[in-house]
Short mmCIF file of all heavy atoms in Angstrom, two decimals:
data_model
loop_
_atom_site.label_atom_id
_atom_site.label_comp_id
_atom_site.label_asym_id
_atom_site.label_seq_id
_atom_site.Cartn_x
_atom_site.Cartn_y
_atom_site.Cartn_z
N GLY A 1 -21.34 6.23 -9.13
CA GLY A 1 -20.27 7.20 -8.97
C GLY A 1 -18.91 6.55 -8.73
O GLY A 1 -17.92 7.23 -8.45
N ILE A 2 -18.85 5.24 -8.85
CA ILE A 2 -17.60 4.51 -8.58
C ILE A 2 -16.67 4.59 -9.78
O ILE A 2 -17.10 4.43 -10.93
CB ILE A 2 -17.90 3.05 -8.22
CG1 ILE A 2 -18.96 2.97 -7.12
CG2 ILE A 2 -16.63 2.33 -7.80
CD1 ILE A 2 -18.65 3.78 -5.88
N HIS A 3 -15.39 4.81 -9.52
CA HIS A 3 -14.43 5.02 -10.60
C HIS A 3 -13.03 4.55 -10.17
O HIS A 3 -12.80 4.23 -9.00
CB HIS A 3 -14.37 6.51 -10.96
CG HIS A 3 -14.16 7.39 -9.77
ND1 HIS A 3 -15.21 7.97 -9.07
CD2 HIS A 3 -13.04 7.78 -9.12
CE1 HIS A 3 -14.73 8.68 -8.06
NE2 HIS A 3 -13.41 8.58 -8.07
N SER A 4 -12.12 4.54 -11.12
CA SER A 4 -10.74 4.17 -10.81
C SER A 4 -10.08 5.27 -9.98
O SER A 4 -10.40 6.46 -10.13
CB SER A 4 -9.95 3.96 -12.10
OG SER A 4 -10.48 2.87 -12.83
N ILE A 5 -9.18 4.90 -9.12
CA ILE A 5 -8.48 5.84 -8.26
C ILE A 5 -7.51 6.69 -9.06
O ILE A 5 -6.72 6.16 -9.85
CB ILE A 5 -7.73 5.11 -7.14
CG1 ILE A 5 -8.72 4.42 -6.20
CG2 ILE A 5 -6.82 6.06 -6.36
CD1 ILE A 5 -8.07 3.47 -5.21
N THR A 6 -7.59 7.99 -8.87
CA THR A 6 -6.65 8.92 -9.53
C THR A 6 -5.91 9.79 -8.52
O THR A 6 -4.92 10.43 -8.88
CB THR A 6 -7.39 9.84 -10.51
OG1 THR A 6 -8.41 10.57 -9.80
CG2 THR A 6 -8.05 9.03 -11.63
N ARG A 7 -6.35 9.82 -7.28
CA ARG A 7 -5.77 10.71 -6.27
C ARG A 7 -4.35 10.33 -5.90
O ARG A 7 -3.51 11.17 -5.60
CB ARG A 7 -6.64 10.73 -5.02
CG ARG A 7 -6.09 11.61 -3.89
CD ARG A 7 -7.00 11.59 -2.68
NE ARG A 7 -8.31 12.13 -2.98
CZ ARG A 7 -9.39 11.94 -2.25
NH1 ARG A 7 -9.32 11.19 -1.16
NH2 ARG A 7 -10.54 12.48 -2.59
N PHE A 8 -4.06 9.04 -5.90
CA PHE A 8 -2.74 8.55 -5.51
C PHE A 8 -2.43 7.29 -6.31
O PHE A 8 -3.36 6.65 -6.84
CB PHE A 8 -2.69 8.25 -4.00
CG PHE A 8 -3.83 7.40 -3.51
CD1 PHE A 8 -3.81 6.02 -3.62
CD2 PHE A 8 -4.96 7.99 -2.95
CE1 PHE A 8 -4.87 5.24 -3.18
CE2 PHE A 8 -6.03 7.23 -2.50
CZ PHE A 8 -5.98 5.84 -2.61
N PRO A 9 -1.17 6.93 -6.44
CA PRO A 9 -0.83 5.72 -7.18
C PRO A 9 -1.45 4.49 -6.52
O PRO A 9 -1.36 4.32 -5.31
CB PRO A 9 0.71 5.67 -7.10
CG PRO A 9 1.12 7.07 -6.80
CD PRO A 9 0.03 7.65 -5.96
N SER A 10 -2.07 3.65 -7.32
CA SER A 10 -2.71 2.46 -6.77
C SER A 10 -2.10 1.17 -7.32
O SER A 10 -2.63 0.09 -7.07
CB SER A 10 -4.22 2.49 -7.07
OG SER A 10 -4.45 2.53 -8.46
N ASP A 11 -1.01 1.30 -8.06
CA ASP A 11 -0.33 0.11 -8.57
C ASP A 11 0.07 -0.80 -7.40
O ASP A 11 0.62 -0.34 -6.41
CB ASP A 11 0.92 0.49 -9.35
CG ASP A 11 0.59 1.33 -10.58
OD1 ASP A 11 -0.58 1.33 -10.98
OD2 ASP A 11 1.50 2.01 -11.09
N GLY A 12 -0.21 -2.06 -7.54
CA GLY A 12 0.14 -3.00 -6.49
C GLY A 12 -0.93 -3.19 -5.44
O GLY A 12 -0.85 -4.13 -4.64
N LEU A 13 -1.94 -2.34 -5.42
CA LEU A 13 -3.05 -2.51 -4.48
C LEU A 13 -4.05 -3.50 -5.05
O LEU A 13 -4.30 -3.52 -6.25
CB LEU A 13 -3.74 -1.18 -4.21
CG LEU A 13 -2.92 -0.08 -3.53
CD1 LEU A 13 -3.76 1.17 -3.34
CD2 LEU A 13 -2.38 -0.55 -2.19
N SER A 14 -4.64 -4.31 -4.19
CA SER A 14 -5.63 -5.27 -4.68
C SER A 14 -6.92 -4.58 -5.08
O SER A 14 -7.65 -5.07 -5.95
CB SER A 14 -5.90 -6.34 -3.61
OG SER A 14 -6.31 -5.73 -2.40
N THR A 15 -7.23 -3.44 -4.46
CA THR A 15 -8.40 -2.64 -4.84
C THR A 15 -7.92 -1.31 -5.41
O THR A 15 -7.17 -0.58 -4.76
CB THR A 15 -9.31 -2.38 -3.62
OG1 THR A 15 -9.88 -3.63 -3.20
CG2 THR A 15 -10.42 -1.41 -3.97
N ARG A 16 -8.37 -0.99 -6.62
CA ARG A 16 -7.92 0.23 -7.29
C ARG A 16 -9.11 1.08 -7.75
O ARG A 16 -9.00 1.86 -8.69
CB ARG A 16 -7.03 -0.14 -8.49
CG ARG A 16 -5.79 -0.93 -8.09
CD ARG A 16 -4.85 -1.17 -9.26
NE ARG A 16 -5.46 -2.00 -10.30
CZ ARG A 16 -5.55 -3.32 -10.26
NH1 ARG A 16 -5.07 -4.00 -9.21
NH2 ARG A 16 -6.12 -3.99 -11.24
N ILE A 17 -10.23 0.92 -7.05
CA ILE A 17 -11.44 1.68 -7.37
C ILE A 17 -11.98 2.32 -6.09
O ILE A 17 -11.65 1.88 -4.98
CB ILE A 17 -12.54 0.78 -7.98
CG1 ILE A 17 -12.85 -0.39 -7.05
CG2 ILE A 17 -12.11 0.29 -9.36
CD1 ILE A 17 -13.99 -1.25 -7.50
N CYS A 18 -12.81 3.35 -6.26
CA CYS A 18 -13.32 4.06 -5.09
C CYS A 18 -14.49 4.95 -5.50
O CYS A 18 -14.82 5.04 -6.69
CB CYS A 18 -12.22 4.92 -4.46
SG CYS A 18 -11.64 6.21 -5.60
N GLY A 19 -15.05 5.62 -4.51
CA GLY A 19 -16.08 6.62 -4.77
C GLY A 19 -15.65 7.95 -4.19
O GLY A 19 -16.41 8.58 -3.46
N THR A 20 -14.44 8.38 -4.51
CA THR A 20 -13.92 9.63 -3.96
C THR A 20 -14.64 10.84 -4.55
O THR A 20 -15.19 10.80 -5.64
CB THR A 20 -12.41 9.77 -4.21
OG1 THR A 20 -12.15 9.55 -5.60
CG2 THR A 20 -11.62 8.79 -3.39
N VAL A 21 -14.59 11.93 -3.78
CA VAL A 21 -15.11 13.23 -4.22
C VAL A 21 -13.91 14.07 -4.61
O VAL A 21 -13.17 14.55 -3.75
CB VAL A 21 -15.92 13.90 -3.10
CG1 VAL A 21 -16.35 15.31 -3.52
CG2 VAL A 21 -17.13 13.05 -2.73
N ASP A 22 -13.70 14.22 -5.90
CA ASP A 22 -12.49 14.89 -6.40
C ASP A 22 -12.80 16.23 -7.07
O ASP A 22 -11.92 16.82 -7.69
CB ASP A 22 -11.76 13.97 -7.40
CG ASP A 22 -11.31 12.66 -6.76
OD1 ASP A 22 -10.82 12.71 -5.62
OD2 ASP A 22 -11.47 11.60 -7.39
N PHE A 23 -14.04 16.71 -6.94
CA PHE A 23 -14.43 17.91 -7.69
C PHE A 23 -14.59 19.14 -6.79
O PHE A 23 -15.04 20.18 -7.26
CB PHE A 23 -15.73 17.65 -8.46
CG PHE A 23 -16.79 16.94 -7.65
CD1 PHE A 23 -17.59 17.63 -6.77
CD2 PHE A 23 -16.96 15.56 -7.78
CE1 PHE A 23 -18.56 16.98 -6.02
CE2 PHE A 23 -17.93 14.90 -7.03
CZ PHE A 23 -18.73 15.62 -6.16
N ILE A 24 -14.25 19.01 -5.50
CA ILE A 24 -14.29 20.16 -4.60
C ILE A 24 -12.86 20.56 -4.27
O ILE A 24 -12.07 19.74 -3.80
CB ILE A 24 -15.08 19.84 -3.32
CG1 ILE A 24 -16.56 19.61 -3.66
CG2 ILE A 24 -14.95 20.97 -2.29
CD1 ILE A 24 -17.41 19.23 -2.47
N GLU A 25 -12.53 21.80 -4.50
CA GLU A 25 -11.16 22.26 -4.30
C GLU A 25 -10.84 22.36 -2.81
O GLU A 25 -11.63 22.89 -2.02
CB GLU A 25 -10.97 23.63 -4.96
CG GLU A 25 -9.53 24.12 -4.94
CD GLU A 25 -9.35 25.42 -5.72
OE1 GLU A 25 -10.24 25.77 -6.52
OE2 GLU A 25 -8.33 26.08 -5.52
N ILE A 26 -9.69 21.85 -2.42
CA ILE A 26 -9.25 21.94 -1.03
C ILE A 26 -7.83 22.53 -1.00
O ILE A 26 -7.05 22.35 -1.94
CB ILE A 26 -9.26 20.58 -0.32
CG1 ILE A 26 -8.35 19.58 -1.04
CG2 ILE A 26 -10.67 20.03 -0.22
CD1 ILE A 26 -8.13 18.30 -0.27
N PRO A 27 -7.49 23.24 0.08
CA PRO A 27 -6.18 23.89 0.11
C PRO A 27 -5.01 22.96 0.39
O PRO A 27 -3.88 23.29 0.05
CB PRO A 27 -6.34 24.91 1.25
CG PRO A 27 -7.40 24.33 2.13
CD PRO A 27 -8.34 23.60 1.21
N ALA A 28 -5.27 21.83 1.02
CA ALA A 28 -4.19 20.90 1.34
C ALA A 28 -4.71 19.47 1.19
O ALA A 28 -5.84 19.18 1.57
CB ALA A 28 -3.68 21.13 2.76
N PRO A 29 -3.89 18.58 0.64
CA PRO A 29 -4.36 17.21 0.35
C PRO A 29 -4.30 16.30 1.57
O PRO A 29 -3.46 15.41 1.67
CB PRO A 29 -3.38 16.75 -0.73
CG PRO A 29 -2.10 17.47 -0.40
CD PRO A 29 -2.51 18.81 0.15
N ASN A 30 -5.22 16.51 2.52
CA ASN A 30 -5.28 15.59 3.64
C ASN A 30 -6.74 15.37 4.05
O ASN A 30 -7.64 16.10 3.64
CB ASN A 30 -4.45 16.08 4.83
CG ASN A 30 -4.93 17.40 5.40
OD1 ASN A 30 -6.05 17.50 5.87
ND2 ASN A 30 -4.09 18.42 5.34
N ALA A 31 -6.95 14.33 4.86
CA ALA A 31 -8.32 13.91 5.19
C ALA A 31 -9.09 14.98 5.95
O ALA A 31 -10.31 15.12 5.78
CB ALA A 31 -8.27 12.62 6.01
N VAL A 32 -8.41 15.75 6.80
CA VAL A 32 -9.11 16.79 7.57
C VAL A 32 -9.62 17.89 6.64
O VAL A 32 -10.77 18.32 6.74
CB VAL A 32 -8.19 17.36 8.66
CG1 VAL A 32 -8.76 18.66 9.23
CG2 VAL A 32 -8.02 16.35 9.78
N GLU A 33 -8.77 18.35 5.74
CA GLU A 33 -9.19 19.41 4.82
C GLU A 33 -10.31 18.95 3.91
O GLU A 33 -11.25 19.69 3.64
CB GLU A 33 -8.00 19.91 3.99
CG GLU A 33 -7.01 20.75 4.77
CD GLU A 33 -7.58 22.09 5.22
OE1 GLU A 33 -8.65 22.50 4.72
OE2 GLU A 33 -6.96 22.73 6.08
N ARG A 34 -10.21 17.71 3.43
CA ARG A 34 -11.28 17.19 2.58
C ARG A 34 -12.58 17.09 3.36
O ARG A 34 -13.64 17.52 2.90
CB ARG A 34 -10.89 15.82 2.01
CG ARG A 34 -9.89 15.88 0.86
CD ARG A 34 -9.78 14.53 0.16
NE ARG A 34 -9.24 13.49 1.03
CZ ARG A 34 -7.95 13.22 1.17
NH1 ARG A 34 -7.05 13.94 0.49
NH2 ARG A 34 -7.53 12.26 1.96
N SER A 35 -12.50 16.50 4.55
CA SER A 35 -13.70 16.31 5.35
C SER A 35 -14.33 17.65 5.73
O SER A 35 -15.57 17.80 5.71
CB SER A 35 -13.37 15.50 6.61
OG SER A 35 -12.88 14.22 6.28
N PHE A 36 -13.51 18.63 6.06
CA PHE A 36 -14.04 19.95 6.39
C PHE A 36 -14.71 20.58 5.17
O PHE A 36 -15.81 21.14 5.27
CB PHE A 36 -12.93 20.88 6.90
CG PHE A 36 -13.37 22.32 7.00
CD1 PHE A 36 -14.27 22.72 7.97
CD2 PHE A 36 -12.92 23.26 6.09
CE1 PHE A 36 -14.72 24.04 8.04
CE2 PHE A 36 -13.35 24.58 6.16
CZ PHE A 36 -14.25 24.97 7.13
N ALA A 37 -14.05 20.49 4.01
CA ALA A 37 -14.62 21.11 2.80
C ALA A 37 -15.96 20.50 2.45
O ALA A 37 -16.92 21.22 2.11
CB ALA A 37 -13.64 20.95 1.64
N PHE A 38 -16.09 19.18 2.55
CA PHE A 38 -17.36 18.53 2.24
C PHE A 38 -18.44 18.98 3.24
O PHE A 38 -19.58 19.30 2.85
CB PHE A 38 -17.23 17.00 2.31
CG PHE A 38 -16.19 16.41 1.40
CD1 PHE A 38 -15.71 15.12 1.62
CD2 PHE A 38 -15.65 17.13 0.34
CE1 PHE A 38 -14.76 14.56 0.81
CE2 PHE A 38 -14.68 16.57 -0.49
CZ PHE A 38 -14.23 15.28 -0.25
N ALA A 39 -18.08 19.01 4.52
CA ALA A 39 -19.04 19.41 5.55
C ALA A 39 -19.46 20.87 5.38
O ALA A 39 -20.64 21.22 5.55
CB ALA A 39 -18.44 19.19 6.94
#
């Protein structure tokens, strides 16, 4: 499930890959809303 980062610009970062969950809709783009939605 590992893929290139699309959530935020990663130019200049030494790591540009992740295993983010980008297919669940959340009302606001922050860690609390994401974590709550997954839970």
Side-chain angles (χ1 to χ4, degrees):
I2 309 307
H3 51 266
S4 297
I5 294 170
T6 58
R7 178 180 297 163
F8 49 83
S10 60
D11 297 343
L13 296 180
S14 56
T15 293
R16 300 185 296 280
I17 56 175
C18 63
T20 51
V21 175
D22 299 318
F23 44 81
I24 294 177
E25 187 175 343
I26 59 170
N30 62 62
V32 166
E33 287 293 346
R34 284 192 295 271
S35 299
F36 169 71
F38 303 162

